[in-house]
Amino acid sequence: MLQGHQSWAFRNRPVIVAAATVVGPEEAQGPLANDFDITHGDTLMEQKSWEQAEKKLLEEAAKIATENAGITKEQVQFYVGGDLMNQIVSSSFAARSLAIPYLGVFGACSTSMESLALASLIVDSGSARYAMAGTCSHNSSAEKQFRYPTEYGSQKPPTAQYTVTGAGVAVVAPEGDGPVVTRATIGRVIDMGIKDPFNMGAAMAPAAVDTIQAHFRDFGLEPKHYDLIVTGDLAQVGYDIACDLFEKHKFPIHETKYDDCGLMIYDRKKQTFAGAGGSGCACSATVAYGHLLKKMRKGELNRILVVATGALLSPLTFQQGESIPGIAHAVAIENKGSAS
Amino acid sequence: MSVAGKSKSKLKTTTFTQQEYQNLAKSNEPPRPVARNCLRAFIAGGIICLLGEALMKLFQTYFGFSEKTAGNPTVAVLIFISVVLTCFGVYDKIAQWAGGGTAVPVTGFANSLCSAALEHRSEGLVLGVGGNMFKLAGSVIVYGVTAAFVVGIIHWILGLGG
């Protein structure tokens, strides 16, 4: 039900009964490698193109997620998903092979939490017994569509981020074993006039801050309610800016631990190619569904707020000199005993 | 000023909050290591040119080319090396280190063609490779030819032409 201005409170506590993550070789070399279900050794995965490989990542994650939930894909009523490709083809083509009734959504890299919020809403309203939320991204297909050919020798500035190759899928049900989705805040599109496509963190940070502040205003909560607040893919530059903005707005983020998925997925000292950090739909999806949910199951975390951030640009808009609009969606995931 | 003109100029200017934010963002941006990039470009570009010189001498000494004609096989060899390195996925890694050093010489031009051709192979030979091969190199050719034309005209007007 509606809470405050732009949030949903899920009264029936939809449960994330299963989740699965699949990643590529670079993520498998990173510090979170052990938290992923499948790690691929090469980026093409025996497919003919990067785009097909991206679709395969999502299909595999969906397969494992339904297996982990102990159901078949026929039992899933709705699949809500999207990705970065034009016309969200990776998700739609994966939905073709999954044959699950499908709602395609686009929120750039915020799609992970956008789809989870919608899947939770569907389950919370009693409209599905099982709903699936999923997203994927592939470093090479993203480079090809948004920047240059993958083998082109262009020098990237230190603000540039590295698109995560991977997919993350969560299965939501009215009851079962697992953490529950308690709240969601849908973000506004915020554009502060940043035009540099190699500095996405700076373009998205204001949207993340806006959504986080809206979340706490709508629910009348304080940051210390959560053990951890994570943004999706602000990386180093955006994370630092977000911290500055919180301070400027006198928002007490220091009450809790604040981190960013883009800073967690790679070891930037060893994996220097990552630049400022990770990005892409799969960044927040694999870190949240892989790393953070496992920590919750172990009881190391009880209440988390995942704020997936997205840059809503296309190669065309930035070539035409438009600035980069940002968006962020927040979803609160809590262990059953701790859910309030 | 007309109303339309006003709104247009308004669109171009940013609000105070946006400006304030852009200053904040700028202060958080790690600076580009310009001096280091220049040094690396100098070293990498220098090595490529040195290799070119060595090849020129090689073709002149052992293959009977003149100083004027030795340029062609030299460029061909450099292009070949660049294409091989691109195909093995090494060139982009060298370029991240070398920057302008590998982009400016003929090797960079070959890399831009080869990488685009490789990337779009999945869309077929005609619309993929053929249609996209000059995606990056096209502007070099267009403005190279245009610049040469303008310089040629100036050259002719000044009466320096033959």
Side-chain angles (χ1 to χ4, degrees):
Chain A
M1 64 178 277
L2 179 69
Q3 174 92 28
H5 184 63
Q6 59 193 85
S7 298
W8 295 326
F10 300 120
R11 299 279 178 242
N12 298 320
R13 301 276 188 265
V15 186
I16 301 179
V17 288
T21 48
V22 181
V23 295
E26 307 297 0
E27 295 70 26
Q29 302 284 328
L32 308 182
N34 294 330
D35 291 333
F36 306 125
D37 294 289
I38 296 183
T39 51
H40 281 281
D42 84 313
T43 50
L44 207 52
M45 296 158 217
E46 293 157 7
Q47 303 297 303
K48 281 182 186 156
S49 66
W50 309 125
E51 292 78 8
Q52 285 179 9
E54 185 178 322
K55 182 200 72 177
K56 195 186 169 193
L57 287 166
L58 189 56
E59 285 174 354
E60 285 182 342
K63 188 167 174 277
I64 302 167
T66 47
E67 278 171 11
N68 288 350
I71 54 171
T72 60
K73 61 184 171 61
E74 287 75 21
Q75 287 174 273
V76 181
Q77 268 86 39
F78 303 107
Y79 160 49
V80 187
D83 55 89
L84 287 174
M85 290 296 98
N86 289 336
Q87 289 79 39
I88 53 168
V89 283
S90 305
S91 298
S92 305
F93 281 50
R96 178 179 68 182
S97 35
L98 291 169
I100 300 170
Y102 163 63
L103 287 165
V105 292
F106 181 79
C109 311
S110 71
T111 306
S112 58
M113 289 305 120
E114 182 180 4
S115 56
L116 182 62
L118 287 169
S120 303
L121 186 72
I122 292 169
V123 169
D124 192 59
S125 67
S127 308
R129 281 184 297 279
Y130 289 101
M132 199 166 83
T135 188
C136 58
S137 59
H138 192 294
N139 181 274
S140 301
S141 67
E143 287 290 321
K144 179 177 174 179
Q145 181 178 301
F146 288 95
R147 298 186 186 101
Y148 300 115
T150 45
E151 296 305 330
Y152 178 59
S154 69
Q155 195 174 37
K156 289 191 174 140
T159 51
Q161 294 172 233
Y162 190 84
T163 307
V164 171
T165 302
V169 170
V171 178
V172 187
E175 55 213 7
D177 192 27
V180 293
V181 181
T182 49
R183 307 171 193 91
T185 299
I186 304 302
R188 296 188 293 161
V189 177
I190 308 275
D191 190 336
M192 293 307 256
I194 298 287
K195 287 185 173 177
D196 181 4
F198 283 111
N199 195 0
M200 299 286 203
M204 299 187 291
V209 171
D210 187 76
T211 301
I212 291 172
Q213 288 188 296
H215 181 81
F216 289 100
R217 192 172 55 234
D218 283 354
F219 289 101
L221 289 171
E222 300 209 0
K224 62 174 176 245
H225 178 80
Y226 297 104
D227 301 327
L228 175 72
I229 298 176
V230 278
T231 38
D233 55 352
L234 295 185
Q236 193 64 60
V237 181
Y239 177 83
D240 291 344
I241 294 173
C243 290
D244 282 1
L245 286 176
F246 284 131
E247 197 179 323
K248 212 177 126 199
H249 298 175
K250 301 207 165 37
F251 182 81
I253 193 82
H254 53 81
E255 284 178 4
T256 182
K257 193 171 179 293
Y258 168 48
D259 211 333
D260 184 74
C261 298
L263 293 173
M264 296 157 87
I265 193 155
Y266 300 116
D267 180 353
R268 292 191 302 134
K269 283 207 182 88
K270 281 188 203 144
Q271 298 175 297
T272 48
F273 59 82
S279 70
C281 295
C283 186
S284 53
T286 55
V287 173
Y289 298 154
H291 180 59
L292 297 177
L293 283 189
K294 285 206 170 72
K295 272 194 146 183
M296 290 188 80
R297 281 187 192 268
K298 281 188 218 155
E300 288 168 32
L301 290 171
N302 283 313
R303 297 162 173 179
I304 61 167
L305 183 70
V306 185
V307 189
T309 42
L312 303 171
L313 84 166
S314 86
L316 190 88
T317 59
F318 103 79
Q319 279 172 5
Q320 290 180 345
E322 292 260 14
S323 51
I324 304 168
I327 193 162
H329 302 299
V331 174
I333 307 169
E334 306 188 350
N335 273 338
K336 269 182 190 149
S338 316
S340 54
Chain B
M1 193 188 265
S2 72
V3 181
K6 244 184 200 169
S7 65
K8 210 174 179 186
S9 65
K10 228 181 190 177
L11 271 175
K12 275 179 188 163
T13 56
T14 47
T15 64
F16 175 71
T17 334
Q18 280 181 323
Q19 272 165 19
E20 206 182 28
Y21 176 72
Q22 282 170 23
N23 291 337
L24 173 77
K26 200 86 202 156
S27 68
N28 272 297
E29 203 180 304
R32 288 181 189 229
V34 178
R36 196 183 73 186
N37 285 353
C38 286
L39 184 71
R40 285 178 175 183
F42 177 77
I43 295 167
I47 289 171
I48 293 170
C49 294
L50 194 70
L51 179 69
E53 275 300 314
L55 285 167
M56 288 266 275
K57 285 276 176 287
L58 183 87
F59 283 115
Q60 283 172 47
T61 323
Y62 297 103
F63 297 95
F65 284 90
S66 72
E67 206 182 328
K68 249 187 171 173
T69 55
N72 289 337
T74 303
V75 168
V77 170
L78 286 176
I79 287 173
F80 181 75
I81 295 170
S82 167
V83 167
V84 168
L85 290 176
T86 306
C87 292
F88 280 110
V90 189
Y91 198 89
D92 59 327
K93 301 204 166 54
I94 301 171
Q96 177 61 30
W97 188 89
T102 47
V104 178
V106 71
T107 51
F109 188 73
N111 165 252
S112 74
L113 280 165
C114 180
S115 62
L118 280 174
E119 191 80 332
H120 295 280
R121 178 66 187 85
S122 59
E123 290 102 274
L125 284 172
V126 177
L127 294 175
V129 176
N132 289 291
M133 204 167 167
F134 288 87
K135 205 163 109 177
L136 297 161
S139 60
V140 180
I141 294 172
V142 169
Y143 294 107
V145 170
T146 314
F149 177 76
V150 172
V151 171
I153 297 276
I154 294 168
H155 199 75
W156 176 72
I157 289 171
L158 295 177
L160 300 164

